[in-house]
Amino acid sequence: MESWLRALLLCSLSVALSSGEATKNDDDIDLVSFLRRLSPGLLVRDEPFIIDRDFEVNSRKERGHPEVLSPTQETKDKTAGQGANRTPDPSPVVLTKDGVIKGVTVDKAHVFYGIPYADPPVGAYRWKPPRPVTPWQGVHDASFPRAACMQGCSGPISDECPQTVSEDCLYLNIFVPRDVNLSSPLRRPLPVMVWIHGGDFIAGSASKPLYDGRFISNFTHTVVVSLEYRLGAFGFLVSGKTPQTSATGNYGILDQQAALLWVQRNIAMFGGDPGKVTIFGESAGAQSVSLHLMIQSSKPLFKQAVFQSLPFSIPLKTRHDALKLGKAFAKNANCSVSDFVCLLSLTPQAVLAAQMKSSSRVVNPFRFLEIFETWGPYIDRELIKEQAVTAFQKGHWQKEKPVLLGTTSEEGVIFVYGVFTKPVSAVECTVYTTAIFKQHALRVLHKYLPLYKDADRRDMLAQIVTDFVFLCPSRRSARASTAAGSSVWMYVFDHVASDHHVWSGLTFCYQHACHGAELPFLFDSASVANFTLSPPERLLSNRMLCYWGAFAHAGDPSSRVQQTNFCRQQRPPAWPRYSDKSGWQVMNLTVRSHAQAGTRDHICDFWDQLGIY
């Protein structure tokens, strides 16, 4: 077997070396074009590839580009009426430190949409850190969502398009349980849950129907906050090192910080406890959560964290690679990378077009996984000092904070089948494996090839992505954290439904528990994906809410302290803390949820020993 693998590997490498594209100077390599020549089935991005569509079956109908709005009152006027099933009266009114806001009361919650937490990052402030919001006179209308941050919506597997996008997008939404009397302070303020949406750092929105916070707020008796942050080039462009004369990146993370600071200053007026804030997010949102656990200046802004499907092994860019992407962006925008005035003079549409053009190239072909996340945070050595997977293994994070983390059982399916639209042969599979794992490729192939007999190797690649990017580095980080004395709980969302839901010609997400499939259960938004929860699925959804709510209230998903009556009556299965004393048990979230030892521990042992996270 090993000699055959060596021959296959050498064959694939000779194919790679025979490609003229593969022997160019590093700055000129276009690995995507090279891979397209190897496999006609490769979906090549002339626009950004969104790996992080949250719940992918949302994307069923043809969509055009969203309407781009200017940062004016027109934004508020044109987005009016997007909220769901609200009644005009009564209208809850809250006095914040910045002014008075008026929301809406609906069947499950008091809702305040589109609260500004920072001044608009427009004009000369496009690539600047967020500025404190300017206090307003009169009453701010918080009865409807504002425009999403700038993003593109093309490509066959793009995220569900927001109806409107704008550079004026630094807003947040707040959901308060309906039984809270906002006219008088609570004797016991409620825990706060702050949601950071995913979307590959280039797409998504806090006001996406999938993230309707009314149900989770009412069910868990918490105040739920969801926030917008700058995306793509608007949030992460690096054109130089000097903040006064260039874009220095990581603005999207700074936006999140500003929103968390706003919560600290104002959430008590909504019945929330600023000393009991849980931040939670999925995929790119989970990456954001992990970064705030590493960033010292974020430490006082929250108490505990949940990250769902954190792609630990997708590397953040170095400054060198971020600047290289910035140069490609400037070239596509017909500007010099050193001409900041030219960059600032670009229209929002021109910025987005240049972003999408530069996204079709892999910045560093020897870090192949960057194809899945072209734009996003980078290691600037100031705000972000190292890779998240390194920080968690070395204990360079806020270890005193309880953490709940987990993955889904088939994370890699949506990634691999989204990129490779036709079957992948063994030779092609070897080339891709070599591009990612380089000198370790032979050992990886030796481990996985015997387990998959089909001529089409996409299932094998999907499992490698699941194990290497999500599951095993999460397990490694959780074990390192428990060794350092941290309180950690792990889960795997492993639900498989009886019926099949088809998306883009592929059957997954509800045939498999793939990337983002837990979200409709957590937010009770299954109807958004055009399916109805069966009674066992409803029980799974309720139990997930019990766990997340208990964690928000008490820092322990199995705690019955201050649980809702439903959760106390249902008594969901105990969720043991992740440790060697519990046999390293994880909670298997399925229609018959139960704690169990990790089912792929032997595979994760292999990746741990390989030492390449």
Side-chain angles (χ1 to χ4, degrees), residues 15 20 97 132 161 163 202 240 255-256 300 303 309-310 397 459 470 491 503 513-514 517 556 562-563 600:
V15 171
K97 293 185 182 297
C161 269
Q163 292 183 14
I202 59 174
D255 292 343
Q256 296 170 10
K303 184 178 181 181
S309 298
L310 171 59
W397 63 287
D459 282 349
F470 295 95
Y491 74 85
W503 171 83
C514 76
D556 181 341
Q562 295 179 317
Q563 271 191 345
R600 296 188 65 79

Side-chain angles (χ1 to χ4, degrees), residues 158-398:
S158 65
D159 199 1
E160 183 180 45
C161 269
Q163 292 183 14
T164 53
V165 294
S166 174
E167 285 197 85
D168 178 5
C169 65
L170 299 187
Y171 298 91
L172 54 80
N173 306 318
I174 298 178
F175 304 86
V176 183
R178 183 160 179 164
D179 63 3
V180 172
N181 184 354
L182 290 169
S183 62
S184 62
L186 297 179
R187 287 185 298 174
R188 290 185 177 179
L190 300 179
V192 181
M193 300 181 72
V194 179
W195 173 252
I196 304 177
H197 71 79
D200 201 21
F201 292 110
I202 59 174
S205 169
S207 298
K208 188 175 181 178
L210 179 66
Y211 308 140
D212 187 342
R214 294 176 298 167
F215 179 77
I216 187 171
S217 172
N218 183 64
F219 192 103
T220 63
H221 215 237
T222 61
V223 176
V224 175
V225 181
S226 57
L227 59 94
E228 308 282 5
Y229 56 96
R230 280 173 282 181
L231 304 168
F234 296 91
F236 299 99
L237 176 67
V238 178
S239 66
K241 297 182 179 181
T242 307
Q244 292 76 21
T245 60
S246 60
T248 55
N250 288 332
Y251 302 111
I253 302 301
L254 293 173
D255 292 343
Q256 296 170 10
Q257 268 195 336
L260 291 170
L261 180 59
W262 189 96
V263 168
Q264 287 295 308
R265 297 178 65 245
N266 292 280
I267 205 65
M269 281 75 104
F270 297 86
D273 185 349
K276 193 176 282 188
V277 173
T278 300
I279 58 174
F280 68 129
E282 186 265 344
S283 203
Q287 283 181 279
S288 301
V289 169
S290 71
L291 292 176
H292 290 297
L293 281 165
M294 299 159 48
I295 296 171
Q296 191 63 26
S297 54
S298 293
K299 186 174 182 179
L301 303 179
F302 64 101
K303 184 178 181 181
Q304 54 200 26
V306 179
F307 27 91
Q308 303 164 210
S309 298
L310 171 59
F312 258 124
S313 293
I314 294 180
L316 301 180
K317 285 182 176 56
T318 63
R319 184 185 294 275
H320 172 77
D321 285 342
L323 184 57
K324 186 183 294 185
L325 180 62
K327 290 179 179 178
F329 168 87
K331 182 178 180 181
N332 286 313
N334 296 317
C335 291
S336 165
V337 72
S338 60
D339 190 348
F340 198 41
V341 174
C342 179
L343 294 173
L344 287 173
S345 69
L346 296 170
T347 65
Q349 295 91 334
V351 173
L352 193 59
Q355 169 195 313
M356 296 173 76
K357 288 180 182 178
S358 55
S359 296
S360 66
R361 295 176 61 87
V362 178
V363 174
N364 186 337
F366 300 103
R367 296 174 67 187
F368 181 67
L369 286 176
E370 287 185 4
I371 191 174
F372 293 122
E373 190 173 282
T374 305
W375 294 91
Y378 81 106
I379 300 174
D380 58 9
R381 300 296 180 188
E382 295 176 5
L383 188 72
I384 302 172
K385 298 181 179 180
E386 60 188 329
Q387 301 288 351
V389 67
T390 303
F392 277 79
Q393 289 180 29
K394 292 185 176 181
H396 299 166
W397 63 287
Q398 299 150 36

Side-chain angles (χ1 to χ4, degrees), residues 130-141:
R131 297 166 295 141
V133 66
T134 301
W136 56 84
Q137 300 296 320
V139 179
H140 175 77
D141 185 0

